[in-house]
């Protein structure tokens, strides 16, 4: 049966568009099954807010966390509903937000993991119920069969690292040896990933990308391995003090197991504009145009650019990876707080760029509490915020799946209902739907 809450036609001569912003790793409190992951008590937003409220942000910023625009969308009300044990969140939710602009709630994850692919696929209507393969050994992490196949495919003199590592640390430690030997740096983490770092000039960017493509093919043909992503990690610089990763990162993902919201929108004649690494997460499938950028501000600018180019029935889908890669994994609480405040300050420009038919959704794919031990993601609820100029504000409460986001967008675009999720847009009084 068709999802009849929406029409494929423009309204009042204006295109009908949706913007989905994923603040990568922006969790709002441990999920009910967090004990399975060792994450009971984690809370990315809550612990950042508490850290700021207690005056522990010693560099880069001062004072309580200030997110007025996200607050007006209902972020702190949603966060308090997810976890009311953190006093700083309670204080922020009690501030005067009498004129809330948006719909707000939080969602739990159905998928079995707490990784990027699972989170994004689930919010597009395809939860992940299978288990990924992980390389759990901290040293000598990869099987010899895999490493030898990579060496042969890339005609390499060998590889470096073969361990769990922080990307910036491993480049600082082994970057010079890599440049001298020609051996790429291959490492992993608690995610289902093979990461390959190489110097853009000494090794070559195109050579690195080709090596990662070959590694993806190798993984897909080794029985028993189900690895989510191969990530190319190019860097530049002359030594440990100035090595820096570039914006030419590329993720090589397996395809989602079923057709996603993105596929269905494309099939209906609509468009999906990928901003940042969205296209990589979906293995380039279900994408009309790609907008690449490096850094939160640049990604936001590209989002605005994509929206300005978007016609009727277009989804602008953006991933803000830096919240995760630059601050969450690096356990940089101060940096995370400052980045959230910078993002919040950009939102009014997006509000102004939206027409009366547009809808904005803001969420996350998992948590990555920067106060938590280790450097892994954390199993958390994610915020679900919705805004439209004619969308009535409402408390959405707890959502039983990230797939509610995809189902809501399916209804918005007039698509067939997806197998999972319930819409939070099709409420009485909505004139944009």
């Amino acid at each position: 049966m068709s999802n009849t809450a929406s029409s494929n036609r423009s309204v009042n001569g204006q295109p009908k568009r949706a913007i989905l912003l994923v603040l990568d790793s922006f969790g709002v409190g441990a999920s009910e099954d967090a004990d399975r992951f060792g994450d009971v008590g984690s809370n990315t937003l809550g612990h950042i807010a508490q850290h700021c409220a207690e005056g522990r942000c010693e560099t880069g910023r001062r004072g309580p966390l200030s997110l007025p625009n996200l607050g007006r969308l209902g972020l702190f009300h949603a966060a308090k509903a997810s976890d009311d044990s953190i006093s700083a969140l309670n204080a922020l939710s009690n501030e005067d937000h009498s004129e809330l602009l948006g719909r707000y709630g939080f969602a739990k994850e159905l998928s079995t993991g707490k990784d990027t692919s699972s989170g994004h696929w689930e919010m597009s209507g395809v939860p992940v119920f299978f288990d990924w393969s992980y390389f759990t050994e901290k040293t000598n992490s990869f099987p010899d069969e895999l490493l030898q196949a990579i060496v042969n495919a890339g005609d390499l003199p060998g590889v470096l690292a073969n361990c769990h590592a922080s990307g910036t640390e491993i480049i600082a430690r082994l970057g010079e040896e890599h440049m001298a030997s020609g051996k790429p740096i291959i490492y992993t983490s608690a995610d289902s990933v093979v990461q390959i770092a190489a110097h853009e000039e000494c090794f070559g960017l195109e050579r690195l990308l080709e090596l990662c493509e070959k590694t993806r093919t190798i993984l897909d043909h080794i029985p028993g391995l189900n690895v989510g992503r191969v990530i190319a990690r190019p860097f530049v610089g002359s030594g440990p003090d100035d090595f820096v990763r570039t914006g030419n990162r590329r993720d090589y993902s397996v395809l989602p197991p079923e057709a996603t919201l993105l596929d269905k929108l494309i099939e209906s004649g609509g468009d999906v504009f990928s901003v940042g690494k969205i296209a990589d997460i979906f293995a380039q499938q279900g994408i009309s145009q790609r907008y690449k950028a490096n850094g939160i501000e640049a990604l936001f600018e590209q989002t605005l650019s994509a929206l300005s180019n978007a016609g009727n029935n277009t989804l602008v889908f953006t991933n803000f990876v830096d919240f995760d890669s630059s601050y969450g994994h690096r356990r940089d609480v101060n940096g995370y707080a400052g980045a959230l405040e910078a993002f919040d300050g950009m939102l009014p420009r997006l509000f102004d760029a939206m027409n009366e038919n547009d809808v904005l959704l803001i969420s996350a794919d998992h948590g990555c509490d920067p106060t938590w031990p280790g450097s892994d993601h954390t199993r958390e609820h994610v915020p679900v915020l919705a805004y439209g100029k004619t969308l009535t504000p409402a408390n959405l409460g707890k959502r039983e799946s990230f797939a509610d986001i995809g189902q809501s967008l399916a209804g918005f675009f007039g698509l067939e209902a997806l197998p999972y999720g319930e819409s939070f847009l099709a409420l009485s009084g909505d004139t944009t739907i």
Side-chain angles (χ1 to χ4, degrees):
M1 179 178 294
S2 177
N3 220 331
T4 58
S6 172
S7 168
N8 285 331
R9 295 172 293 180
S10 60
V11 181
N12 299 325
Q14 293 183 320
K16 189 174 188 181
R17 308 167 300 185
I19 309 101
L20 174 54
L21 307 183
V22 178
L23 278 58
D24 201 311
S25 83
F26 191 46
V28 291
S31 296
E32 297 83 346
D33 60 355
D35 58 318
R36 292 177 44 228
F37 302 86
D39 293 333
V40 174
S42 61
N43 190 323
T44 299
L45 172 60
H47 288 144
I48 292 170
Q50 196 70 38
H51 189 92
C52 295
E54 294 173 356
R56 288 185 280 156
C57 289
E58 298 175 356
T59 59
R61 65 169 309 285
R62 291 287 187 274
L65 187 65
S66 178
L67 305 175
N69 295 301
L70 287 167
R72 291 171 70 201
L73 294 180
L75 171 65
F76 298 116
H77 289 68
K80 181 180 178 181
S82 169
D83 180 359
D84 64 359
S85 68
I86 296 179
S87 59
L89 280 184
N90 293 336
L92 289 168
S93 68
N94 289 333
E95 289 182 2
D96 183 15
H97 297 302
S98 56
E99 295 188 17
L100 287 173
L101 297 179
R103 295 186 179 174
Y104 59 91
F106 64 96
K108 71 175 187 180
E109 187 167 9
L110 287 180
S111 299
T112 56
K114 53 177 179 177
D115 55 276
T116 296
S117 297
S118 297
H120 283 78
W121 294 357
E122 181 170 328
M123 72 176 68
S124 69
V126 182
V128 175
F129 297 121
F130 57 80
D131 291 325
W132 297 107
S133 295
Y134 300 93
F135 303 102
T136 57
E137 297 297 324
K138 300 301 183 183
T139 59
N140 296 317
S141 302
F142 301 111
D144 291 340
E145 176 189 5
L146 173 60
L147 291 178
Q148 190 57 54
I150 294 172
V151 167
N152 292 341
D155 192 21
L156 303 171
V159 299
L160 300 175
N162 185 20
C163 63
H164 280 233
S166 157
T168 51
E169 180 276 328
I170 201 72
I171 290 169
R173 178 159 57 90
L174 296 177
E176 288 182 311
E177 183 178 353
H178 154 70
M179 294 169 68
S181 67
K183 299 176 181 179
I185 302 167
I186 301 184
Y187 62 103
T188 189
S189 67
D191 289 345
S192 180
V193 294
V194 174
Q195 305 198 62
I196 306 180
H199 198 281
E200 282 197 3
E201 297 162 2
C202 296
F203 190 86
L205 176 59
E206 291 305 316
R207 186 184 177 198
L208 171 61
L209 298 181
E210 182 180 359
L211 177 63
C212 289
E213 288 181 4
K214 291 178 177 177
T215 300
R216 174 74 269 169
T217 300
I218 291 166
L219 287 167
D220 292 342
H221 287 86
I222 296 179
L225 275 186
N226 184 26
V227 177
R229 288 178 294 157
V230 177
I231 305 178
R233 293 288 197 176
F235 66 97
V236 295
S238 58
D241 293 336
D242 69 348
F243 283 144
V244 60
R245 297 192 295 195
T246 75
N248 291 318
R249 164 185 170 155
R250 180 76 181 271
D251 293 37
Y252 297 86
S253 172
V254 296
L255 284 168
E258 300 175 30
T260 69
L261 167 76
L262 284 60
D263 300 313
K264 295 179 183 297
L265 183 55
I266 294 288
E267 290 170 3
S268 75
D271 285 301
V272 177
F273 290 180
S274 160
V275 183
K277 69 175 188 175
I278 293 297
D280 289 350
I281 294 169
F282 288 87
Q284 313 302 314
Q285 183 169 285
I287 305 296
S288 305
Q289 293 186 25
R290 297 157 182 80
Y291 293 75
K292 302 294 286 186
N294 187 33
I296 292 171
E297 183 176 0
L299 286 163
F300 195 89
E301 293 298 329
Q302 287 288 63
T303 301
L304 292 174
S305 178
L307 184 62
S308 70
N309 294 327
N312 195 44
N313 292 322
T314 298
L315 170 64
V316 177
F317 195 173
T318 304
N319 174 280
F320 290 91
V321 65
D322 297 80
F323 290 112
D324 187 48
S325 62
S326 297
Y327 308 114
H329 283 300
R330 297 187 192 182
R331 298 312 192 232
D332 181 355
V333 187
N334 298 349
Y336 208 135
L340 285 171
E341 290 174 334
F343 172 83
D344 185 87
M346 300 174 197
L347 281 174
R349 294 179 59 206
L350 180 55
F351 297 159
D352 291 343
M354 295 171 61
N355 69 41
E356 290 190 354
N357 303 324
D358 295 338
V359 65
L360 167 66
L361 305 181
I362 300 176
S363 191
D365 52 346
H366 50 70
C368 197
D369 188 337
T371 71
W372 210 243
S375 60
D376 191 11
H377 295 154
T378 41
R379 180 75 165 186
E380 296 185 51
H381 297 138
V382 299
V384 177
L385 308 178
Y387 167 75
K389 292 185 177 180
T390 57
L391 191 71
T392 56
N395 181 354
L396 301 174
K398 179 183 177 182
R399 314 306 299 186
E400 295 300 318
S401 169
F402 296 4
D404 286 10
I405 293 171
Q407 194 70 274
S408 298
L409 290 172
F412 178 78
F413 287 119
L415 305 177
E416 293 286 331
L418 302 177
Y420 294 93
E422 294 185 8
S423 174
F424 50 75
L425 291 181
L427 304 180
S428 61
D430 295 343
T431 59
T432 58
I433 308 305

